[in-house]
Amino acid sequence: MAQKEQSKLHLYNSLSRNKELFEPIKPPFVGLYVCGPTVYGDPHLGHARAAITFDIVYRYLKHLGYKVRYVRNITDVGHLENEEAEQGEDKIAKKARLQEIEPMEVVQTYTIKYHEGMDALNCIRPSIEPTASGHIIEQIELIEKILENGFAYEVNGSVYFDLMKYRESNDYGTLSGKVLEDLQVGSRGTEGMEEKKSPYDFALWKKANPEHIMRWRSPWSVGFPGWHLECTTMSTKYLGEKFDIHGGGLDLQFPHHEAEIAQCRGAHGHDPVNYWMHNNMVTIDGSKMSKSAGNFINLEELFGGDHVKLDKAYDPMVVRFLMLQSHYRSKIDFSNEALAAAEKGYQKLMNAVDTLNKMDPPKNGTDGKIDNEILDACNRCHSAMNDDFNTALVLAALFDLSSKVNALHNGQINKSELSISAFTSLSKTMNEFVFDVMGLKAHTKSDDSKTDELVQLLIEIRAEAREKKDFATSDKIRDDLLEIGIRLKDDKSGNTTYEFNAS
């Protein structure tokens, strides 16, 4: 399939640790699977980083003309408190016990909150969003295949993946770079450890204790599936036994994604996916985000400004913009300073797009003195995305285009210096990349119409003051509005406009 741009998409494959040319298995179709949230708490910045990362991947693949099936799971069973030692309560069941409600009430509450948070960040919802509890039958069938192929064993109603047997014919740890012998998990006295042939084996199915309320019948016991099993089951069910891209947070490389590879090889005899992608983590003021450190910020707090670490509320688009300023494989640090800077940058970009869209094309633009500069910045948008989805470089190119737009608007560049074809490329590139690829939206104020009415009223009062030569009042209105982030702009004809959050 011919792509729209001359350069071709390359992405960093976590498995090979190299950038590779993207070649889908069955073009123009692309299968994308991303590990979604475990829905037992409010959505937070970590959820947002992953969702935005793969929203960008999804958007750009579609921009290139691919037909993408995007699958992102909802984990609603099997994720225990101590993931590595495979012990403790199910995270959702524990939340239900503490709140004295049904586990599926917990699931419903936090799934809705997750969707609301990601919608606010303008993340397109996936094509399919399957749940672990909705695929118990398929998970049981996958376990049966792994057992049949000799890579699992049953003991006392639980089924474990036999890593020692698996390693006789397969590598383990290639994705994460972990050496198995250095990964002794828990102590040998932990729950269920005495059942395992090796402490490295992981559960495919766990027999439920009497107090465990999330349980299903299986050929081995009344119990529940292991956490790792759901993604292998649902990705291959909806995308095929071999698909194109599997994504998730860097923290999932081990043990979750290593287990997925082992399970797929154990059941089907081959790797599940051609390209593994992992987004890096989020820090707050340079420290790892955690509730114990007091720097854990959920999205509701961020959008409402209701957190000790925040000076004010931040628009979801400012949060998205800040994340886009860093490459997805780099860590990103949130702070008031970073958010405030992102707020200004975001509004400058949106103001430039708004100015461009109100601008008439050049009538006699044939000189083309600045065509090359415009076209070079347009091409850099495409080449940056084709270089492993480098949104930071895309934004840099978009700001170069913005400076040209402002120069044209202010008369620093004469429109005759820009050809009609270059102006068309400028308009098309800025609108497509800002809105369709980067997924940004215009500033969402609490009540746009009322805000506009109030500012217009102040502009009229200021105009009357200027007519009366009351420049003290006129200047005070201008300066006070600037203090709260609204900048008045007077043109040569005497008309006044305004923009938000400009420096």
Side-chain angles (χ1 to χ4, degrees), residues 50-74:
I52 290 172
T53 293
F54 294 102
D55 182 62
I56 292 293
V57 172
Y58 182 39
R59 285 172 178 274
Y60 191 61
L61 289 171
K62 290 175 68 179
H63 174 76
L64 292 178
Y66 290 116
K67 296 180 179 180
V68 187
R69 177 176 288 174
Y70 174 18
V71 182
R72 184 182 66 206
N73 70 301
I74 294 287

Side-chain angles (χ1 to χ4, degrees), residues 66-89:
Y66 290 116
K67 296 180 179 180
V68 187
R69 177 176 288 174
Y70 174 18
V71 182
R72 184 182 66 206
N73 70 301
I74 294 287
T75 297
D76 60 356
V77 65
H79 201 162
L80 304 183
E81 289 179 284
N82 189 335
E83 298 164 6
E84 295 187 349
E86 295 183 333
Q87 64 179 138
E89 280 189 271

Side-chain angles (χ1 to χ4, degrees), residues 136-155:
I136 298 297
I137 293 173
E138 291 90 342
Q139 292 183 76
I140 289 172
E141 290 172 348
L142 185 67
I143 294 170
E144 289 175 332
K145 282 186 181 179
I146 297 172
L147 280 165
E148 183 182 334
N149 291 337
F151 292 111
Y153 57 92
E154 183 267 334
V155 55

Side-chain angles (χ1 to χ4, degrees), residues 11 19 21 53 68 96 143 175 215 277 291 300 314 331 352 357 368 404 452 491 497:
L11 56 83
K19 288 181 186 176
L21 174 67
T53 293
V68 187
I143 294 170
L175 179 65
R215 53 172 67 202
M277 293 181 65
K291 290 181 180 178
E300 188 175 353
Y314 287 97
K331 283 186 179 179
N357 290 338
K404 293 292 187 291
D452 185 66
D491 62 23
T497 58

